[in-house]
Amino acid sequence: MISTILSAMQPMATNDYVGFTFFVGCMAMMAASAFFFLSMSSVEGKWKTSLLVSGLITFIAAVHYFYMRDYWASVGESPTFFRYVDWTLTVPLMCVEFYLILKAAGAKTDLLWKLIGASVVMLVTGYFGEAVYRDSAWLWGLFSGIAYFYIVYLIFAGEAKQLANASTPAVQNAHNILCKFVLIGWAIYPIGYMVGTGEGQWYSFLNGALDMDVIYNIGDAINKIGFGLVIYALAVSDK
Ligand SMILES: *C/C=C(C)/C=C/C=C(C)/C=C/C1=C(C)CCCC1(C)C
């Protein structure tokens, strides 16, 4: 039995960067989850939920990465649908992180729903462009980009920023770093999208420049683990 399975398994090719980054992603997300969950016991009560959410973000990603790694290994295609399922669960949770740290300054669930709503619009339109209406990927990408910039506006200048201004210096600092993750770290994804959907679009010069999945995998590691570490640093510094 075992030997039949083993003989049917193909070792990963050394130039399979997509397969390799899925593989590393599984471990990185699992390790980060263990770290965030275990750290919960050593922080103040008011930060426990934030750390729990950090751990959930990387744990949900880990489960998807195990699936996506195997899908890639056996089908040899990008598991686009599950990529977007992962994001649709984890990006709203990243919005929850903003809400939780600003809650002490009076954040209302109204702000949370604006952030979540915009992130869902951003992802659903992105999915349409990437997987359903490829010919008009630029248009869906544009809709998605508008929703993205609305999130950027809310956290950099809108309601979330005002709440941050009324927060403790430690929370302000964490808010500012999370803002940079959204502006710079999240911008990795539209690049991956353009590289992956460029065929026949005005940005076709980017088509296949790099591998879309490698770009997405790098983006996920930076953003999901990075967000969690910002929260961890806040939780241990702000008693
Ligand atoms: C953990 C996963 C994260 C933080 C995923 C974030 C994804 C985005 C910010 C995606 C954005 C997109 C655009 C702004 C335009 C093109 C389509 C998308 C969905 C790739």
Side-chain angles (χ1 to χ4, degrees):
M1 179 63 187
I2 298 273
S3 64
T4 339
I5 293 172
L6 285 180
S7 63
M9 260 179 87
Q10 294 292 322
M12 195 190 296
T14 46
N15 63 348
D16 179 2
Y17 302 111
V18 175
F20 180 69
T21 49
F22 274 133
F23 183 81
V24 175
C26 293
M27 286 180 290
M29 297 295 179
M30 282 305 283
S33 307
F35 177 76
F36 296 135
F37 288 142
L38 292 171
S39 302
M40 280 175 69
S41 61
S42 56
V43 302
E44 289 283 304
K46 63 176 175 178
W47 294 122
K48 287 194 198 301
T49 316
S50 297
L51 267 180
L52 173 65
V53 174
S54 295
L56 287 176
I57 291 169
T58 51
F59 186 70
I60 292 170
V63 174
H64 284 83
Y65 266 75
F66 280 106
Y67 179 83
M68 295 195 290
R69 180 197 67 183
D70 293 349
Y71 188 99
W72 176 263
S74 54
V75 185
E77 272 174 29
S78 176
T80 307
F81 181 73
F82 287 94
R83 169 80 75 190
Y84 277 83
V85 172
D86 173 342
W87 291 352
T88 309
L89 296 168
T90 52
V91 176
L93 285 174
M94 294 169 107
C95 298
V96 170
E97 296 282 34
F98 275 102
Y99 168 75
L100 287 175
I101 67 169
L102 298 175
K103 224 173 133 183
K108 302 265 169 345
T109 48
D110 180 50
L111 168 66
L112 175 61
W113 288 116
K114 279 184 198 162
L115 289 168
I116 292 180
S119 68
V120 171
V121 170
M122 173 182 87
L123 296 170
V124 170
T125 50
Y127 180 75
F128 279 147
E130 195 172 317
V132 189
Y133 306 110
R134 269 278 178 136
D135 292 343
S136 43
W138 71 271
L139 183 64
W140 293 100
L142 180 68
F143 290 148
S144 175
I146 292 169
Y148 166 70
F149 278 112
Y150 179 60
I151 299 174
V152 169
Y153 162 76
L154 282 174
I155 59 176
F156 269 88
E159 283 169 54
K161 179 67 186 177
Q162 277 137 36
L163 289 162
N165 288 342
S167 301
T168 63
V171 169
Q172 261 179 53
N173 181 47
H175 178 85
N176 289 340
I177 304 174
L178 291 183
C179 282
K180 289 194 182 108
F181 269 98
V182 172
L183 186 69
I184 303 163
W186 288 20
I188 294 171
Y189 298 94
I191 296 171
Y193 178 89
M194 290 171 93
V195 163
T197 65
E199 208 184 321
Q201 310 291 327
W202 62 264
Y203 49 88
S204 61
F205 62 94
L206 286 173
N207 194 42
L210 281 159
D211 202 290
M212 180 185 70
D213 284 282
V214 172
I215 300 175
Y216 285 166
N217 290 351
I218 292 171
D220 279 355
I222 293 175
N223 290 296
K224 293 184 164 63
I225 300 172
F227 245 65
L229 289 174
V230 174
I231 299 292
Y232 171 79
L234 170 63
V236 292
S237 71
D238 187 271
K239 301 276 186 251

